[in-house]
Amino acid sequence: MKVLAILYNGFKAAKAEPRLLGTVENELGLRAYLESQGHEYIVTSSKEGPDSDFQKHIADTDILITTPFHPGYLTKELMAKAKNLKVCVTAGVGSDHVDLNAAVERKIQVLEVSGSNVVSVAEQVMMSILLLVRNFVPAHEQAVSGNWQVSDIARNAFDLEGKVVGTLGAGRIGHRVLQRLVPFNTKELLYFDYKGLPKEAEQAVGARRVEDLKEFVSQCDVVTVNAPLHEGTKGLINKDLLQHFKPGAWLVNTARGAICNADDVAAAVKSGQLRGYAGDVWNQQPAPADHPWRSMRNPLGGGNGMTPHYSGTTLDAQTRYAEGTKQILQNYFEGKPQDPGNVIVGVGKIESASYGQR
């Protein structure tokens, strides 16, 4: 079989650090295994446009491997050209770069390594919340620039204790964020999800479910987005919803950039309606140099906590999702059942409750 992997270039870093498995250079550690089984393995970062390696090779590819960090967008049109394609594997979590409805129609399976980076992302959420609330970025910029004016930082720095924090989405990651928030002695923990947490889990973290989205955001000092991207969540946080946020609230998004309207969020930060926005996911990856999230600042010169998409691709996470990808391939080649938690699209139907909830 022909296996095509769309990964990102690691350059010198990947050569110096072999644990950067999600790179073109280190190939998810799969080449020796795949070639020993007689399979062809093509690895590339070239994914944009009709002359890209992605489009050149997809026509006769049997198995496609992609990552959320350098996504190869598998559209309905590309699937129509992919006559041999049987399986798409996401090395990581989040398969929204694949047209799932088209995969259902064409009976192409879509799998991901569920759980491989949930701890990594939950930790990033906590870091992002704290750097916004504590006004860390401007403070750090002062330190490295040689300046020293504490009042300019302290005027926009707060404690997390006593704040109301809510997660939009309380699945694997959102639940872990709630668990990690418990020791901070917040005023209240809230969550918004189409289904409630199990009662014992809800009680363990002391969280309260709010079923109306506008009511949910209106109560929160901090909102963190931990939901998958699909038809029901794309553009969910827009100008209209932002008007229902508490004035001066903080927003963290490590889920998917397209859940937020980029221009609306940047405008809310600039006006001070949002005191800050942090995250590592963008509606286009790599993000263009003029993306509004790169340069946005609140009226006091802070509020920007953006990074490239790396929360789910720590070295620890890369080990987990590389091993998980190999296991998915082994199961497929040997005709063994897949872990049900890894199956997003089975043969002819969406299996995941998250992506199935539209």
Side-chain angles (χ1 to χ4, degrees):
M1 290 187 176
K2 181 174 181 177
V3 181
L4 172 63
I6 306 298
L7 305 176
Y8 62 90
N9 291 311
F11 302 112
K12 292 180 180 179
K15 293 177 181 178
E17 178 50 85
R19 290 176 295 178
L20 279 167
L21 291 166
T23 61
V24 168
E25 292 81 1
N26 295 323
E27 304 178 316
L28 291 168
L30 289 174
R31 182 166 297 281
Y33 164 70
L34 288 171
E35 291 184 348
S36 73
Q37 301 295 306
H39 304 295
E40 180 184 5
Y41 189 35
I42 306 295
V43 181
T44 181
S45 65
S46 172
K47 67 187 183 75
E48 303 294 344
D51 296 325
S52 65
D53 290 342
F54 183 25
Q55 294 215 22
K56 289 177 182 177
H57 287 287
I58 195 66
D60 61 348
T61 288
D62 298 283
I63 298 173
L64 174 66
I65 301 172
T66 56
T67 79
F69 315 104
H70 184 75
Y73 293 97
L74 187 62
T75 63
K76 183 176 183 178
E77 292 72 26
L78 273 183
M79 280 190 202
K81 299 177 183 179
K83 304 299 184 184
N84 296 343
L85 190 62
K86 304 170 185 68
V87 179
C88 299
V89 182
T90 299
V93 177
S95 298
D96 48 272
H97 52 282
V98 177
D99 186 324
L100 301 181
N101 295 322
V104 169
E105 293 174 8
R106 301 188 67 84
K107 294 183 169 55
I108 296 170
Q109 296 181 61
V110 181
L111 302 103
E112 60 185 45
V113 190
S114 296
S116 60
N117 57 19
V118 293
V119 169
S120 310
V121 177
E123 290 183 358
Q124 182 96 3
V125 172
M126 292 304 305
M127 179 186 73
S128 299
I129 290 173
L130 287 168
L131 71 83
L132 284 182
V133 173
R134 300 307 298 258
N135 205 23
F136 173 84
V137 173
H140 176 68
E141 290 173 344
Q142 259 198 28
V144 299
S145 68
N147 295 321
W148 190 284
Q149 189 59 52
V150 173
S151 59
D152 285 350
I153 306 303
R155 65 180 175 174
N156 206 25
F158 299 81
D159 295 339
L160 184 56
E161 180 173 286
K163 303 297 186 291
V164 178
V165 185
T167 174
L168 198 167
R172 290 184 180 93
I173 294 172
H175 181 222
R176 282 169 173 78
V177 170
L178 291 172
Q179 289 175 320
R180 284 156 175 76
L181 283 164
V182 170
F184 285 88
N185 195 27
T186 59
K187 181 178 181 180
E188 192 171 20
L189 294 177
L190 308 180
Y191 72 98
F192 174 86
D193 205 313
Y194 72 93
K195 62 178 181 180
L197 287 166
K199 281 298 178 186
E200 60 275 15
E202 188 176 274
Q203 292 170 359
V205 295
R208 176 170 63 89
R209 183 186 179 199
V210 181
E211 297 189 42
D212 180 84
L213 180 58
K214 291 178 179 178
E215 180 64 22
F216 166 74
V217 299
S218 73
Q219 297 180 46
C220 295
D221 298 298
V222 181
V223 174
T224 169
V225 182
N226 300 289
L229 174 64
H230 52 67
E231 293 98 319
T233 59
K234 186 174 183 179
L236 183 65
I237 298 180
N238 53 31
K239 184 178 181 180
D240 176 61
L241 185 63
L242 286 164
Q243 292 174 350
H244 294 271
F245 276 62
K246 279 187 180 181
W250 296 277
L251 177 60
V252 172
N253 178 14
T254 57
R256 285 296 180 266
I259 294 174
C260 295
N261 180 290
D263 291 329
D264 292 350
V265 166
V269 172
K270 184 178 180 179
S271 71
Q273 171 64 15
L274 285 179
R275 199 178 297 271
Y277 179 75
D280 69 325
V281 288
W282 306 69
N283 57 331
Q284 183 181 348
Q285 294 186 179
D290 62 351
H291 194 288
W293 289 351
R294 290 185 182 267
S295 58
M296 63 185 175
R297 297 271 179 162
N298 66 27
L300 296 179
N304 188 328
M306 294 303 297
T307 66
H309 191 182
Y310 82 108
S311 63
T313 191
T314 62
L315 294 182
D316 303 288
Q318 291 194 40
T319 296
R320 291 190 292 267
Y321 67 66
E323 291 175 349
T325 299
K326 183 178 180 180
Q327 187 61 59
I328 288 171
L329 295 174
Q330 283 182 320
N331 291 341
Y332 180 74
F333 295 144
E334 297 172 11
K336 295 179 179 178
Q338 301 286 355
D339 180 337
N342 290 341
V343 183
I344 306 304
V345 176
V347 179
K349 64 177 181 176
I350 290 181
E351 300 282 1
S352 168
S354 295
Y355 288 94
Q357 180 71 16
R358 296 296 200 264

